[in-house]
Amino acid sequence: MEYTEKVADKNLSIVEEFILLGFSELPNFQGFLFVIFLVIYINILLGNGLIIVITNMEPTLQTPMYYFLGNFSFVEICYTSVTLPRMLMNLWRQERNISLLSCAIQLCFFLILGVTESFLLAVMAYDRYVAICKPLYYPLIMNHKMCVQMVIGSWVTGMPVLIGQTYQVFSVPFCGSNKLNHVFCDMPPLMKLACGDTSGDELFIYIDCFLFALLPFLLILLSYIRILNTILKRPSTTGRSKAFSTCSSHLIVVCLFYGSGFIAYLQSKSSYSDKTDKIFSLFYIIVTPVFNPMIYSLRNKDFIEAVRKLFCKCVE
């Protein structure tokens, strides 16, 4: 009995770095995947960068809605830049090693930016609620000071908890295999490699998901229930159509972001699937940021007009 325990202890190797497997099961497609992700990353930078420039330069877009949209696009760029450059480097150099410290930093920034995006979506929903349900009070409620405070609040609200959460995850010993079957350092695959009982850590993850993902989602849902109730009471069909139009873009982004995120995070360790999680993690780090500019610009006449004006100025 004593001998067996000693052998087990001897064979136990503490992980000092991870190997991000990524798409190693597709060795013949590494170059193709590199090109695809590079094009996507450039599109994310250009598309969201254009939104930031337009919302800051065009006088007609100096409203709370576009102020939040510009900040949301900035978060999208940061959010994607935490993961995609590392993925591109791994595909190009075929070196998949990442130290525990680098992995922890990546996870921490990824969580903070993801939560910031979640709260910004809730703030944008509240902005639409005030604009449609309380139009006379809109300039008073959504003044510049309030908008700045809401943006700052979206950034800092979850920071202390998420830094603590990251520390807690990496305080758990990782032993045995150091192969992280994922495209970046994310919570579910890391917990899969942790030693011993991780039920307590999983509980904290679920609590964080409720506070920083589900709660903002419920606030968005409540805002849109009230918006829908107000719109349906309007006698004018034109008024209803305009109100629905201003909300539809935001709703599409909310569905893309939360749909994939909930599936990836709100699954138990026993039902965890590496392939499924890879797909959905790519979905919420790539699809939402790359489609965000198209969703907002193509469905917004004011934004299209502002882009046209900027283009004409650049050509002259």
Side-chain angles (χ1 to χ4, degrees):
M1 179 74 175
E2 227 175 276
Y3 175 76
T4 308
E5 287 176 357
K6 284 181 181 178
V7 171
D9 289 339
K10 190 177 180 181
N11 290 336
L12 188 68
S13 59
I14 303 300
V15 173
E16 295 181 355
E17 66 175 11
F18 293 112
I19 298 173
L20 287 167
L21 295 180
F23 302 100
S24 56
E25 71 274 15
L26 302 169
N28 298 326
F29 292 91
Q30 299 297 296
F32 175 74
L33 289 171
F34 175 82
V35 173
I36 293 295
F37 288 130
L38 180 61
V39 170
I40 289 172
Y41 187 49
I42 291 170
N43 283 334
I44 289 170
L45 294 178
L46 292 177
N48 287 284
L50 179 64
I51 288 179
I52 295 169
V53 171
I54 292 292
T55 53
N56 279 281
M57 289 184 62
E58 179 56 42
T60 59
L61 301 184
Q62 301 299 309
T63 63
M65 182 176 77
Y66 293 106
Y67 174 72
F68 294 135
L69 178 58
N71 278 276
F72 183 76
S73 294
F74 175 71
V75 175
E76 292 275 52
I77 290 173
C78 296
Y79 184 63
T80 312
S81 297
V82 170
T83 54
L84 264 183
R86 182 90 198 192
M87 285 171 56
L88 290 168
M89 186 180 73
N90 290 345
L91 287 167
W92 179 256
R93 296 172 60 186
Q94 297 297 302
E95 293 178 7
R96 306 178 189 280
N97 295 42
I98 182 170
S99 66
L100 255 67
L101 178 61
S102 297
C103 191
I105 291 171
Q106 186 183 60
L107 176 65
C108 188
F109 277 103
F110 174 74
L111 292 176
I112 289 171
L113 290 165
V115 167
T116 302
E117 189 166 351
S118 180
F119 277 111
L120 273 177
L121 286 171
V123 166
M124 292 166 80
Y126 177 73
D127 173 68
R128 292 299 83 208
Y129 158 72
V130 177
I132 294 171
C133 301
K134 299 181 179 181
L136 297 177
Y137 296 99
Y138 184 76
L140 295 173
I141 296 173
M142 301 305 294
N143 57 68
H144 181 68
K145 184 180 177 181
M146 176 60 72
C147 292
V148 172
Q149 288 175 344
M150 292 174 88
V151 169
I152 293 172
S154 299
W155 274 95
V156 304
T157 299
M159 274 190 185
V161 177
L162 295 168
I163 291 170
Q165 178 73 70
T166 305
Y167 175 79
Q168 184 181 10
V169 168
F170 282 86
S171 296
V172 176
F174 299 97
C175 51
S177 174
N178 68 337
K179 293 178 179 178
L180 198 65
N181 194 8
H182 206 57
V183 291
F184 63 94
C185 291
D186 201 1
M187 199 87 77
L190 281 168
M191 296 310 298
K192 191 179 179 184
L193 296 182
C195 298
D197 182 20
T198 59
S199 55
D201 296 290
E202 288 184 9
L203 177 62
F204 280 114
I205 291 171
Y206 289 133
I207 291 171
D208 286 348
C209 283
F210 174 77
L211 290 174
F212 303 126
L214 188 58
L215 193 58
F217 177 74
L218 292 175
L219 291 173
I220 293 170
L221 192 62
L222 179 62
S223 296
Y224 276 106
I225 288 172
R226 293 188 174 184
I227 287 170
L228 183 63
N229 186 46
T230 302
I231 290 173
L232 293 176
K233 287 179 180 177
R234 291 183 176 179
S236 169
T237 308
T238 307
R240 289 182 188 178
S241 178
K242 189 177 180 180
F244 276 123
S245 178
T246 59
C247 297
S248 58
S249 301
H250 180 255
L251 275 172
I252 294 169
V253 174
V254 167
C255 292
L256 287 173
F257 179 76
Y258 280 101
S260 54
F262 282 151
I263 293 171
Y265 273 83
L266 297 181
Q267 56 179 326
S268 65
K269 194 174 179 180
S270 58
S271 63
Y272 177 82
S273 166
D274 292 326
K275 290 183 179 179
T276 304
D277 191 59
K278 276 185 192 180
I279 293 168
F280 282 105
S281 63
L282 284 174
F283 198 80
Y284 63 75
I285 68 168
I286 289 178
V287 176
T288 307
V290 83
F291 278 106
N292 175 52
M294 289 183 276
I295 291 169
Y296 277 100
S297 60
L298 295 177
R299 299 178 63 85
N300 191 303
K301 292 179 181 178
D302 294 334
F303 191 86
I304 292 171
E305 181 62 23
V307 172
R308 190 189 65 79
K309 285 181 183 178
L310 181 65
F311 180 74
C312 291
K313 286 179 183 178
C314 293
V315 172
E316 289 175 358

